[in-house]
Amino acid sequence: MTSPDRRSVLRAAASAAAAGALLSGCDPHRDEERGPVRAAGPSPSPADGGTHRPAHAARPPTRVPGLPVQIENGPRDARAVALTFHGRGDPKLATALLGEAERAGARLTVLVVGDWLDAQPQMARRILDGGHELGNHTLHHRDICALPAADAYAEITGCADRLRRLTGTIGSWFRPSQTRRATDLVTQLALKAGYPHVLSYDVDSLDANDPGAPAVRRTVLDAVRPGSVVSLHLGHAGTVAALPPILDGLRRRGLRAVTTTELVT
């Protein structure tokens, strides 16, 4: 039975989705800098009593011999998929989404934006403590493939530095911002920064456009296959509401939601 508290969270999420009062996601056709998170340096976490301490150690960058540098999916004979989340937005929505995943026994991959970690450093620990994995989604979520090499490299290493400071590693994966696939230059810069693979995806949920929870569910379940890597977003209430039926639909097909590292290794 659904608890009153959980029903309240989901009702609030659905209301916020209907109102469109959400932070923007990763759709390249939307204004990514609308309502930006300030990059003013890490702030103390209230849960730490004002002391900024490292979170539980994250996995180091995943290296899989034999797989391409740019990964779009895992093995098609796997009975699993990876739900990957572009990480920024309202931490209350992010926490609600993580809770839904954990209640269903699902493990996610969250590719965080570095300036979001500056404002919400406690989220690194919250993600890891839930059994999920962390990755790098650049520092400011700029159109990385359009940047000069030096600026693009600074976007990658800026987020990597924040992950290292908070978790002890630069994270398991790098995903470029505002694009599905990295250019050769960005791939080379990611390798230089310490990421053997660039994480793309083969299923785009289109949830950053806020189409509503039923549409997000249909888009994912209509396209997902064994081994799929699905692109989703934190900070969108419709995605919070869509996650339980997505996980239920996967379960009915005999598919588990695992971290990307678990999927490909």
Side-chain angles (χ1 to χ4, degrees), residues 64 66-74 144-145 173-177 179-188 190-191 195-202 229 260 264:
V64 186
L67 286 188
V69 172
Q70 194 147 203
I71 295 175
E72 292 188 348
N73 59 269
I144 192 167
C145 292
W173 300 95
F174 168 71
R175 172 171 287 169
S177 48
T179 184
R180 183 169 186 158
R181 291 184 60 84
T183 60
D184 289 343
L185 172 61
V186 171
T187 299
Q188 292 165 11
L191 182 60
Y195 298 97
H197 302 285
V198 171
L199 182 59
S200 182
Y201 47 89
D202 66 325
V229 176
T260 307
V264 301

PDB file of all heavy atoms in Angstrom, residues 64 66-74 144-145 173-177 179-188 190-191 195-202 229 260 264:
ATOM      1  N   VAL A  64      36.263  -0.947 -19.921  1.00  0.00           N
ATOM      2  CA  VAL A  64      35.789  -2.246 -20.395  1.00  0.00           C
ATOM      3  C   VAL A  64      36.539  -2.593 -21.674  1.00  0.00           C
ATOM      4  O   VAL A  64      36.183  -2.106 -22.760  1.00  0.00           O
ATOM      5  CB  VAL A  64      34.268  -2.240 -20.646  1.00  0.00           C
ATOM      6  CG1 VAL A  64      33.788  -3.650 -20.993  1.00  0.00           C
ATOM      7  CG2 VAL A  64      33.522  -1.696 -19.433  1.00  0.00           C
ATOM      8  N   GLY A  66      37.549  -4.027 -25.076  1.00  0.00           N
ATOM      9  CA  GLY A  66      36.735  -4.594 -26.148  1.00  0.00           C
ATOM     10  C   GLY A  66      35.513  -3.777 -26.490  1.00  0.00           C
ATOM     11  O   GLY A  66      34.939  -3.963 -27.572  1.00  0.00           O
ATOM     12  N   LEU A  67      35.096  -2.884 -25.603  1.00  0.00           N
ATOM     13  CA  LEU A  67      33.955  -2.030 -25.917  1.00  0.00           C
ATOM     14  C   LEU A  67      34.434  -0.740 -26.569  1.00  0.00           C
ATOM     15  O   LEU A  67      35.556  -0.292 -26.333  1.00  0.00           O
ATOM     16  CB  LEU A  67      33.167  -1.702 -24.650  1.00  0.00           C
ATOM     17  CG  LEU A  67      32.307  -2.816 -24.063  1.00  0.00           C
ATOM     18  CD1 LEU A  67      31.441  -2.256 -22.942  1.00  0.00           C
ATOM     19  CD2 LEU A  67      31.426  -3.480 -25.109  1.00  0.00           C
ATOM     20  N   PRO A  68      33.595  -0.117 -27.392  1.00  0.00           N
ATOM     21  CA  PRO A  68      34.010   1.134 -28.050  1.00  0.00           C
ATOM     22  C   PRO A  68      34.229   2.241 -27.036  1.00  0.00           C
ATOM     23  O   PRO A  68      33.753   2.180 -25.898  1.00  0.00           O
ATOM     24  CB  PRO A  68      32.831   1.450 -28.982  1.00  0.00           C
ATOM     25  CG  PRO A  68      31.672   0.725 -28.393  1.00  0.00           C
ATOM     26  CD  PRO A  68      32.228  -0.523 -27.771  1.00  0.00           C
ATOM     27  N   VAL A  69      34.944   3.271 -27.467  1.00  0.00           N
ATOM     28  CA  VAL A  69      35.171   4.417 -26.593  1.00  0.00           C
ATOM     29  C   VAL A  69      33.843   5.089 -26.250  1.00  0.00           C
ATOM     30  O   VAL A  69      33.610   5.509 -25.119  1.00  0.00           O
ATOM     31  CB  VAL A  69      36.133   5.417 -27.258  1.00  0.00           C
ATOM     32  CG1 VAL A  69      36.225   6.698 -26.446  1.00  0.00           C
ATOM     33  CG2 VAL A  69      37.511   4.794 -27.428  1.00  0.00           C
ATOM     34  N   GLN A  70      32.945   5.184 -27.218  1.00  0.00           N
ATOM     35  CA  GLN A  70      31.633   5.788 -27.004  1.00  0.00           C
ATOM     36  C   GLN A  70      30.590   4.676 -26.907  1.00  0.00           C
ATOM     37  O   GLN A  70      30.386   3.916 -27.855  1.00  0.00           O
ATOM     38  CB  GLN A  70      31.289   6.772 -28.125  1.00  0.00           C
ATOM     39  CG  GLN A  70      30.125   7.663 -27.808  1.00  0.00           C
ATOM     40  CD  GLN A  70      30.266   9.038 -28.444  1.00  0.00           C
ATOM     41  OE1 GLN A  70      29.659   9.994 -27.979  1.00  0.00           O
ATOM     42  NE2 GLN A  70      31.055   9.184 -29.487  1.00  0.00           N
ATOM     43  N   ILE A  71      29.948   4.573 -25.769  1.00  0.00           N
ATOM     44  CA  ILE A  71      29.040   3.462 -25.484  1.00  0.00           C
ATOM     45  C   ILE A  71      27.598   3.940 -25.540  1.00  0.00           C
ATOM     46  O   ILE A  71      27.228   4.919 -24.875  1.00  0.00           O
ATOM     47  CB  ILE A  71      29.345   2.857 -24.101  1.00  0.00           C
ATOM     48  CG1 ILE A  71      30.736   2.212 -24.098  1.00  0.00           C
ATOM     49  CG2 ILE A  71      28.276   1.849 -23.701  1.00  0.00           C
ATOM     50  CD1 ILE A  71      31.172   1.707 -22.745  1.00  0.00           C
ATOM     51  N   GLU A  72      26.782   3.266 -26.333  1.00  0.00           N
ATOM     52  CA  GLU A  72      25.360   3.595 -26.438  1.00  0.00           C
ATOM     53  C   GLU A  72      24.473   2.567 -25.750  1.00  0.00           C
ATOM     54  O   GLU A  72      23.333   2.887 -25.389  1.00  0.00           O
ATOM     55  CB  GLU A  72      24.941   3.709 -27.904  1.00  0.00           C
ATOM     56  CG  GLU A  72      25.552   4.901 -28.627  1.00  0.00           C
ATOM     57  CD  GLU A  72      24.959   5.083 -30.013  1.00  0.00           C
ATOM     58  OE1 GLU A  72      24.251   4.158 -30.487  1.00  0.00           O
ATOM     59  OE2 GLU A  72      25.191   6.145 -30.617  1.00  0.00           O
ATOM     60  N   ASN A  73      24.941   1.351 -25.609  1.00  0.00           N
ATOM     61  CA  ASN A  73      24.124   0.306 -24.993  1.00  0.00           C
ATOM     62  C   ASN A  73      25.038  -0.798 -24.488  1.00  0.00           C
ATOM     63  O   ASN A  73      26.210  -0.889 -24.849  1.00  0.00           O
ATOM     64  CB  ASN A  73      23.107  -0.255 -25.978  1.00  0.00           C
ATOM     65  CG  ASN A  73      23.726  -0.852 -27.212  1.00  0.00           C
ATOM     66  OD1 ASN A  73      23.917  -0.142 -28.210  1.00  0.00           O
ATOM     67  ND2 ASN A  73      24.060  -2.134 -27.167  1.00  0.00           N
ATOM     68  N   GLY A  74      24.458  -1.646 -23.662  1.00  0.00           N
ATOM     69  CA  GLY A  74      25.161  -2.817 -23.170  1.00  0.00           C
ATOM     70  C   GLY A  74      24.798  -4.040 -23.985  1.00  0.00           C
ATOM     71  O   GLY A  74      24.181  -3.938 -25.054  1.00  0.00           O
ATOM     72  N   ILE A 144      29.042  21.512 -25.231  1.00  0.00           N
ATOM     73  CA  ILE A 144      30.467  21.196 -25.156  1.00  0.00           C
ATOM     74  C   ILE A 144      31.086  20.943 -26.523  1.00  0.00           C
ATOM     75  O   ILE A 144      32.255  21.267 -26.755  1.00  0.00           O
ATOM     76  CB  ILE A 144      30.711  20.005 -24.204  1.00  0.00           C
ATOM     77  CG1 ILE A 144      32.207  19.889 -23.896  1.00  0.00           C
ATOM     78  CG2 ILE A 144      30.128  18.722 -24.769  1.00  0.00           C
ATOM     79  CD1 ILE A 144      32.515  18.958 -22.755  1.00  0.00           C
ATOM     80  N   CYS A 145      30.329  20.401 -27.452  1.00  0.00           N
ATOM     81  CA  CYS A 145      30.891  20.102 -28.771  1.00  0.00           C
ATOM     82  C   CYS A 145      31.137  21.366 -29.595  1.00  0.00           C
ATOM     83  O   CYS A 145      31.846  21.306 -30.608  1.00  0.00           O
ATOM     84  CB  CYS A 145      29.984  19.147 -29.528  1.00  0.00           C
ATOM     85  SG  CYS A 145      29.924  17.494 -28.811  1.00  0.00           S
ATOM     86  N   TRP A 173      31.785   7.606 -15.152  1.00  0.00           N
ATOM     87  CA  TRP A 173      31.510   7.875 -16.561  1.00  0.00           C
ATOM     88  C   TRP A 173      31.572   9.364 -16.848  1.00  0.00           C
ATOM     89  O   TRP A 173      31.337  10.187 -15.960  1.00  0.00           O
ATOM     90  CB  TRP A 173      30.109   7.371 -16.950  1.00  0.00           C
ATOM     91  CG  TRP A 173      29.923   5.916 -16.744  1.00  0.00           C
ATOM     92  CD1 TRP A 173      29.370   5.296 -15.642  1.00  0.00           C
ATOM     93  CD2 TRP A 173      30.292   4.872 -17.631  1.00  0.00           C
ATOM     94  NE1 TRP A 173      29.378   3.947 -15.808  1.00  0.00           N
ATOM     95  CE2 TRP A 173      29.945   3.648 -17.027  1.00  0.00           C
ATOM     96  CE3 TRP A 173      30.879   4.850 -18.900  1.00  0.00           C
ATOM     97  CZ2 TRP A 173      30.158   2.421 -17.634  1.00  0.00           C
ATOM     98  CZ3 TRP A 173      31.097   3.623 -19.507  1.00  0.00           C
ATOM     99  CH2 TRP A 173      30.739   2.428 -18.876  1.00  0.00           C
ATOM    100  N   PHE A 174      31.811   9.694 -18.104  1.00  0.00           N
ATOM    101  CA  PHE A 174      31.630  11.054 -18.600  1.00  0.00           C
ATOM    102  C   PHE A 174      30.558  11.035 -19.677  1.00  0.00           C
ATOM    103  O   PHE A 174      30.589  10.206 -20.587  1.00  0.00           O
ATOM    104  CB  PHE A 174      32.924  11.621 -19.197  1.00  0.00           C
ATOM    105  CG  PHE A 174      32.691  12.894 -19.967  1.00  0.00           C
ATOM    106  CD1 PHE A 174      32.366  14.062 -19.304  1.00  0.00           C
ATOM    107  CD2 PHE A 174      32.738  12.905 -21.355  1.00  0.00           C
ATOM    108  CE1 PHE A 174      32.109  15.233 -20.005  1.00  0.00           C
ATOM    109  CE2 PHE A 174      32.497  14.067 -22.065  1.00  0.00           C
ATOM    110  CZ  PHE A 174      32.178  15.236 -21.388  1.00  0.00           C
ATOM    111  N   ARG A 175      29.608  11.956 -19.563  1.00  0.00           N
ATOM    112  CA  ARG A 175      28.606  12.165 -20.617  1.00  0.00           C
ATOM    113  C   ARG A 175      28.674  13.611 -21.065  1.00  0.00           C
ATOM    114  O   ARG A 175      28.586  14.527 -20.230  1.00  0.00           O
ATOM    115  CB  ARG A 175      27.194  11.836 -20.125  1.00  0.00           C
ATOM    116  CG  ARG A 175      26.105  12.236 -21.141  1.00  0.00           C
ATOM    117  CD  ARG A 175      24.745  11.718 -20.760  1.00  0.00           C
ATOM    118  NE  ARG A 175      24.664  10.278 -20.986  1.00  0.00           N
ATOM    119  CZ  ARG A 175      23.668   9.505 -20.556  1.00  0.00           C
ATOM    120  NH1 ARG A 175      22.692  10.032 -19.838  1.00  0.00           N
ATOM    121  NH2 ARG A 175      23.667   8.207 -20.823  1.00  0.00           N
ATOM    122  N   PRO A 176      28.820  13.871 -22.364  1.00  0.00           N
ATOM    123  CA  PRO A 176      28.873  15.255 -22.843  1.00  0.00           C
ATOM    124  C   PRO A 176      27.524  15.944 -22.670  1.00  0.00           C
ATOM    125  O   PRO A 176      26.481  15.299 -22.633  1.00  0.00           O
ATOM    126  CB  PRO A 176      29.237  15.097 -24.316  1.00  0.00           C
ATOM    127  CG  PRO A 176      28.744  13.737 -24.681  1.00  0.00           C
ATOM    128  CD  PRO A 176      28.911  12.890 -23.454  1.00  0.00           C
ATOM    129  N   SER A 177      27.569  17.261 -22.549  1.00  0.00           N
ATOM    130  CA  SER A 177      26.350  18.044 -22.330  1.00  0.00           C
ATOM    131  C   SER A 177      25.801  18.587 -23.642  1.00  0.00           C
ATOM    132  O   SER A 177      26.544  18.929 -24.561  1.00  0.00           O
ATOM    133  CB  SER A 177      26.629  19.203 -21.360  1.00  0.00           C
ATOM    134  OG  SER A 177      27.792  19.904 -21.739  1.00  0.00           O
ATOM    135  N   THR A 179      24.259  17.175 -26.049  1.00  0.00           N
ATOM    136  CA  THR A 179      24.458  16.359 -27.247  1.00  0.00           C
ATOM    137  C   THR A 179      24.298  14.899 -26.884  1.00  0.00           C
ATOM    138  O   THR A 179      24.519  14.508 -25.733  1.00  0.00           O
ATOM    139  CB  THR A 179      25.852  16.597 -27.862  1.00  0.00           C
ATOM    140  OG1 THR A 179      25.968  15.844 -29.078  1.00  0.00           O
ATOM    141  CG2 THR A 179      26.961  16.169 -26.909  1.00  0.00           C
ATOM    142  N   ARG A 180      23.910  14.122 -27.866  1.00  0.00           N
ATOM    143  CA  ARG A 180      23.798  12.679 -27.627  1.00  0.00           C
ATOM    144  C   ARG A 180      25.151  11.993 -27.767  1.00  0.00           C
ATOM    145  O   ARG A 180      25.469  11.079 -27.009  1.00  0.00           O
ATOM    146  CB  ARG A 180      22.798  12.078 -28.614  1.00  0.00           C
ATOM    147  CG  ARG A 180      22.548  10.585 -28.405  1.00  0.00           C
ATOM    148  CD  ARG A 180      21.362  10.144 -29.248  1.00  0.00           C
ATOM    149  NE  ARG A 180      20.980   8.773 -28.997  1.00  0.00           N
ATOM    150  CZ  ARG A 180      19.777   8.281 -29.256  1.00  0.00           C
ATOM    151  NH1 ARG A 180      18.849   9.073 -29.768  1.00  0.00           N
ATOM    152  NH2 ARG A 180      19.492   7.022 -29.009  1.00  0.00           N
ATOM    153  N   ARG A 181      25.935  12.426 -28.743  1.00  0.00           N
ATOM    154  CA  ARG A 181      27.237  11.823 -28.987  1.00  0.00           C
ATOM    155  C   ARG A 181      28.320  12.891 -28.973  1.00  0.00           C
ATOM    156  O   ARG A 181      28.115  14.008 -29.442  1.00  0.00           O
ATOM    157  CB  ARG A 181      27.260  11.098 -30.339  1.00  0.00           C
ATOM    158  CG  ARG A 181      26.402   9.837 -30.387  1.00  0.00           C
ATOM    159  CD  ARG A 181      26.550   9.128 -31.723  1.00  0.00           C
ATOM    160  NE  ARG A 181      27.923   8.720 -31.979  1.00  0.00           N
ATOM    161  CZ  ARG A 181      28.474   7.594 -31.532  1.00  0.00           C
ATOM    162  NH1 ARG A 181      27.767   6.765 -30.790  1.00  0.00           N
ATOM    163  NH2 ARG A 181      29.720   7.297 -31.833  1.00  0.00           N
ATOM    164  N   ALA A 182      29.461  12.522 -28.454  1.00  0.00           N
ATOM    165  CA  ALA A 182      30.601  13.432 -28.413  1.00  0.00           C
ATOM    166  C   ALA A 182      31.321  13.442 -29.752  1.00  0.00           C
ATOM    167  O   ALA A 182      31.342  12.438 -30.474  1.00  0.00           O
ATOM    168  CB  ALA A 182      31.571  13.003 -27.317  1.00  0.00           C
ATOM    169  N   THR A 183      31.925  14.572 -30.068  1.00  0.00           N
ATOM    170  CA  THR A 183      32.817  14.633 -31.232  1.00  0.00           C
ATOM    171  C   THR A 183      34.120  13.906 -30.896  1.00  0.00           C
ATOM    172  O   THR A 183      34.404  13.584 -29.741  1.00  0.00           O
ATOM    173  CB  THR A 183      33.137  16.093 -31.573  1.00  0.00           C
ATOM    174  OG1 THR A 183      33.785  16.699 -30.438  1.00  0.00           O
ATOM    175  CG2 THR A 183      31.875  16.867 -31.913  1.00  0.00           C
ATOM    176  N   ASP A 184      34.932  13.674 -31.929  1.00  0.00           N
ATOM    177  CA  ASP A 184      36.229  13.043 -31.690  1.00  0.00           C
ATOM    178  C   ASP A 184      37.072  13.883 -30.727  1.00  0.00           C
ATOM    179  O   ASP A 184      37.772  13.331 -29.860  1.00  0.00           O
ATOM    180  CB  ASP A 184      36.981  12.840 -33.009  1.00  0.00           C
ATOM    181  CG  ASP A 184      36.363  11.758 -33.876  1.00  0.00           C
ATOM    182  OD1 ASP A 184      35.576  10.952 -33.340  1.00  0.00           O
ATOM    183  OD2 ASP A 184      36.677  11.716 -35.087  1.00  0.00           O
ATOM    184  N   LEU A 185      37.001  15.209 -30.869  1.00  0.00           N
ATOM    185  CA  LEU A 185      37.775  16.075 -29.986  1.00  0.00           C
ATOM    186  C   LEU A 185      37.338  15.905 -28.537  1.00  0.00           C
ATOM    187  O   LEU A 185      38.180  15.737 -27.633  1.00  0.00           O
ATOM    188  CB  LEU A 185      37.622  17.536 -30.401  1.00  0.00           C
ATOM    189  CG  LEU A 185      38.235  18.570 -29.443  1.00  0.00           C
ATOM    190  CD1 LEU A 185      39.734  18.359 -29.316  1.00  0.00           C
ATOM    191  CD2 LEU A 185      37.915  19.990 -29.896  1.00  0.00           C
ATOM    192  N   VAL A 186      36.039  15.943 -28.286  1.00  0.00           N
ATOM    193  CA  VAL A 186      35.549  15.817 -26.912  1.00  0.00           C
ATOM    194  C   VAL A 186      35.885  14.439 -26.349  1.00  0.00           C
ATOM    195  O   VAL A 186      36.255  14.302 -25.176  1.00  0.00           O
ATOM    196  CB  VAL A 186      34.037  16.111 -26.852  1.00  0.00           C
ATOM    197  CG1 VAL A 186      33.465  15.765 -25.478  1.00  0.00           C
ATOM    198  CG2 VAL A 186      33.770  17.580 -27.177  1.00  0.00           C
ATOM    199  N   THR A 187      35.800  13.418 -27.181  1.00  0.00           N
ATOM    200  CA  THR A 187      36.180  12.076 -26.736  1.00  0.00           C
ATOM    201  C   THR A 187      37.643  12.036 -26.318  1.00  0.00           C
ATOM    202  O   THR A 187      38.000  11.456 -25.283  1.00  0.00           O
ATOM    203  CB  THR A 187      35.922  11.062 -27.862  1.00  0.00           C
ATOM    204  OG1 THR A 187      34.522  11.067 -28.178  1.00  0.00           O
ATOM    205  CG2 THR A 187      36.328   9.663 -27.444  1.00  0.00           C
ATOM    206  N   GLN A 188      38.510  12.672 -27.103  1.00  0.00           N
ATOM    207  CA  GLN A 188      39.931  12.721 -26.775  1.00  0.00           C
ATOM    208  C   GLN A 188      40.180  13.501 -25.486  1.00  0.00           C
ATOM    209  O   GLN A 188      41.012  13.108 -24.657  1.00  0.00           O
ATOM    210  CB  GLN A 188      40.710  13.342 -27.925  1.00  0.00           C
ATOM    211  CG  GLN A 188      40.741  12.493 -29.185  1.00  0.00           C
ATOM    212  CD  GLN A 188      41.201  13.270 -30.407  1.00  0.00           C
ATOM    213  OE1 GLN A 188      41.693  14.395 -30.293  1.00  0.00           O
ATOM    214  NE2 GLN A 188      41.038  12.687 -31.592  1.00  0.00           N
ATOM    215  N   ALA A 190      38.044  13.844 -23.010  1.00  0.00           N
ATOM    216  CA  ALA A 190      37.560  13.021 -21.899  1.00  0.00           C
ATOM    217  C   ALA A 190      38.596  11.960 -21.525  1.00  0.00           C
ATOM    218  O   ALA A 190      38.838  11.701 -20.337  1.00  0.00           O
ATOM    219  CB  ALA A 190      36.234  12.368 -22.271  1.00  0.00           C
ATOM    220  N   LEU A 191      39.212  11.362 -22.534  1.00  0.00           N
ATOM    221  CA  LEU A 191      40.254  10.371 -22.261  1.00  0.00           C
ATOM    222  C   LEU A 191      41.427  11.020 -21.527  1.00  0.00           C
ATOM    223  O   LEU A 191      41.960  10.460 -20.554  1.00  0.00           O
ATOM    224  CB  LEU A 191      40.724   9.741 -23.573  1.00  0.00           C
ATOM    225  CG  LEU A 191      41.788   8.648 -23.462  1.00  0.00           C
ATOM    226  CD1 LEU A 191      41.285   7.487 -22.630  1.00  0.00           C
ATOM    227  CD2 LEU A 191      42.191   8.168 -24.856  1.00  0.00           C
ATOM    228  N   TYR A 195      38.766   9.520 -18.419  1.00  0.00           N
ATOM    229  CA  TYR A 195      37.578   8.703 -18.690  1.00  0.00           C
ATOM    230  C   TYR A 195      37.816   7.840 -19.926  1.00  0.00           C
ATOM    231  O   TYR A 195      37.842   8.365 -21.051  1.00  0.00           O
ATOM    232  CB  TYR A 195      36.348   9.592 -18.901  1.00  0.00           C
ATOM    233  CG  TYR A 195      36.000  10.426 -17.691  1.00  0.00           C
ATOM    234  CD1 TYR A 195      36.414  11.751 -17.594  1.00  0.00           C
ATOM    235  CD2 TYR A 195      35.278   9.875 -16.646  1.00  0.00           C
ATOM    236  CE1 TYR A 195      36.110  12.519 -16.485  1.00  0.00           C
ATOM    237  CE2 TYR A 195      34.964  10.635 -15.530  1.00  0.00           C
ATOM    238  CZ  TYR A 195      35.384  11.955 -15.448  1.00  0.00           C
ATOM    239  OH  TYR A 195      35.077  12.714 -14.342  1.00  0.00           O
ATOM    240  N   PRO A 196      37.961   6.516 -19.772  1.00  0.00           N
ATOM    241  CA  PRO A 196      38.212   5.652 -20.931  1.00  0.00           C
ATOM    242  C   PRO A 196      37.047   5.585 -21.903  1.00  0.00           C
ATOM    243  O   PRO A 196      37.244   5.293 -23.081  1.00  0.00           O
ATOM    244  CB  PRO A 196      38.461   4.277 -20.294  1.00  0.00           C
ATOM    245  CG  PRO A 196      38.783   4.550 -18.866  1.00  0.00           C
ATOM    246  CD  PRO A 196      38.008   5.777 -18.506  1.00  0.00           C
ATOM    247  N   HIS A 197      35.827   5.828 -21.405  1.00  0.00           N
ATOM    248  CA  HIS A 197      34.634   5.740 -22.250  1.00  0.00           C
ATOM    249  C   HIS A 197      33.781   6.992 -22.104  1.00  0.00           C
ATOM    250  O   HIS A 197      33.751   7.619 -21.045  1.00  0.00           O
ATOM    251  CB  HIS A 197      33.787   4.524 -21.881  1.00  0.00           C
ATOM    252  CG  HIS A 197      34.494   3.218 -21.987  1.00  0.00           C
ATOM    253  ND1 HIS A 197      34.764   2.606 -23.198  1.00  0.00           N
ATOM    254  CD2 HIS A 197      35.014   2.412 -21.027  1.00  0.00           C
ATOM    255  CE1 HIS A 197      35.403   1.472 -22.972  1.00  0.00           C
ATOM    256  NE2 HIS A 197      35.576   1.333 -21.678  1.00  0.00           N
ATOM    257  N   VAL A 198      33.078   7.330 -23.164  1.00  0.00           N
ATOM    258  CA  VAL A 198      32.058   8.374 -23.151  1.00  0.00           C
ATOM    259  C   VAL A 198      30.709   7.667 -23.178  1.00  0.00           C
ATOM    260  O   VAL A 198      30.485   6.764 -23.993  1.00  0.00           O
ATOM    261  CB  VAL A 198      32.208   9.304 -24.366  1.00  0.00           C
ATOM    262  CG1 VAL A 198      31.022  10.253 -24.467  1.00  0.00           C
ATOM    263  CG2 VAL A 198      33.511  10.093 -24.270  1.00  0.00           C
ATOM    264  N   LEU A 199      29.815   8.066 -22.283  1.00  0.00           N
ATOM    265  CA  LEU A 199      28.535   7.372 -22.153  1.00  0.00           C
ATOM    266  C   LEU A 199      27.451   8.099 -22.939  1.00  0.00           C
ATOM    267  O   LEU A 199      27.047   9.214 -22.592  1.00  0.00           O
ATOM    268  CB  LEU A 199      28.136   7.267 -20.683  1.00  0.00           C
ATOM    269  CG  LEU A 199      26.834   6.515 -20.397  1.00  0.00           C
ATOM    270  CD1 LEU A 199      26.896   5.085 -20.926  1.00  0.00           C
ATOM    271  CD2 LEU A 199      26.544   6.525 -18.897  1.00  0.00           C
ATOM    272  N   SER A 200      26.972   7.465 -23.997  1.00  0.00           N
ATOM    273  CA  SER A 200      25.843   7.958 -24.762  1.00  0.00           C
ATOM    274  C   SER A 200      24.601   7.173 -24.316  1.00  0.00           C
ATOM    275  O   SER A 200      24.524   6.725 -23.174  1.00  0.00           O
ATOM    276  CB  SER A 200      26.110   7.810 -26.261  1.00  0.00           C
ATOM    277  OG  SER A 200      25.036   8.334 -27.015  1.00  0.00           O
ATOM    278  N   TYR A 201      23.641   6.970 -25.196  1.00  0.00           N
ATOM    279  CA  TYR A 201      22.430   6.221 -24.856  1.00  0.00           C
ATOM    280  C   TYR A 201      21.710   5.851 -26.144  1.00  0.00           C
ATOM    281  O   TYR A 201      21.924   6.467 -27.201  1.00  0.00           O
ATOM    282  CB  TYR A 201      21.500   7.039 -23.943  1.00  0.00           C
ATOM    283  CG  TYR A 201      21.267   8.460 -24.386  1.00  0.00           C
ATOM    284  CD1 TYR A 201      20.228   8.790 -25.248  1.00  0.00           C
ATOM    285  CD2 TYR A 201      22.096   9.486 -23.939  1.00  0.00           C
ATOM    286  CE1 TYR A 201      20.018  10.095 -25.660  1.00  0.00           C
ATOM    287  CE2 TYR A 201      21.894  10.806 -24.349  1.00  0.00           C
ATOM    288  CZ  TYR A 201      20.858  11.108 -25.194  1.00  0.00           C
ATOM    289  OH  TYR A 201      20.660  12.401 -25.596  1.00  0.00           O
ATOM    290  N   ASP A 202      20.855   4.850 -26.063  1.00  0.00           N
ATOM    291  CA  ASP A 202      20.073   4.446 -27.238  1.00  0.00           C
ATOM    292  C   ASP A 202      18.585   4.722 -27.081  1.00  0.00           C
ATOM    293  O   ASP A 202      17.825   4.551 -28.031  1.00  0.00           O
ATOM    294  CB  ASP A 202      20.305   2.970 -27.581  1.00  0.00           C
ATOM    295  CG  ASP A 202      19.783   2.021 -26.507  1.00  0.00           C
ATOM    296  OD1 ASP A 202      19.854   2.368 -25.304  1.00  0.00           O
ATOM    297  OD2 ASP A 202      19.333   0.911 -26.859  1.00  0.00           O
ATOM    298  N   VAL A 229      20.559   1.716 -22.725  1.00  0.00           N
ATOM    299  CA  VAL A 229      20.935   2.816 -21.835  1.00  0.00           C
ATOM    300  C   VAL A 229      19.918   3.922 -22.082  1.00  0.00           C
ATOM    301  O   VAL A 229      19.808   4.429 -23.206  1.00  0.00           O
ATOM    302  CB  VAL A 229      22.369   3.305 -22.103  1.00  0.00           C
ATOM    303  CG1 VAL A 229      22.685   4.518 -21.231  1.00  0.00           C
ATOM    304  CG2 VAL A 229      23.375   2.188 -21.857  1.00  0.00           C
ATOM    305  N   THR A 260      25.141   1.500 -14.943  1.00  0.00           N
ATOM    306  CA  THR A 260      25.771   1.279 -16.259  1.00  0.00           C
ATOM    307  C   THR A 260      26.983   0.362 -16.141  1.00  0.00           C
ATOM    308  O   THR A 260      27.220  -0.482 -17.009  1.00  0.00           O
ATOM    309  CB  THR A 260      26.163   2.612 -16.888  1.00  0.00           C
ATOM    310  OG1 THR A 260      25.029   3.475 -16.902  1.00  0.00           O
ATOM    311  CG2 THR A 260      26.662   2.412 -18.304  1.00  0.00           C
ATOM    312  N   VAL A 264      27.527  -3.246 -18.319  1.00  0.00           N
ATOM    313  CA  VAL A 264      28.534  -3.503 -19.360  1.00  0.00           C
ATOM    314  C   VAL A 264      29.697  -4.359 -18.891  1.00  0.00           C
ATOM    315  O   VAL A 264      30.580  -4.677 -19.698  1.00  0.00           O
ATOM    316  CB  VAL A 264      29.073  -2.183 -19.941  1.00  0.00           C
ATOM    317  CG1 VAL A 264      27.946  -1.363 -20.540  1.00  0.00           C
ATOM    318  CG2 VAL A 264      29.837  -1.382 -18.904  1.00  0.00           C
TER     319      VAL A 264
END
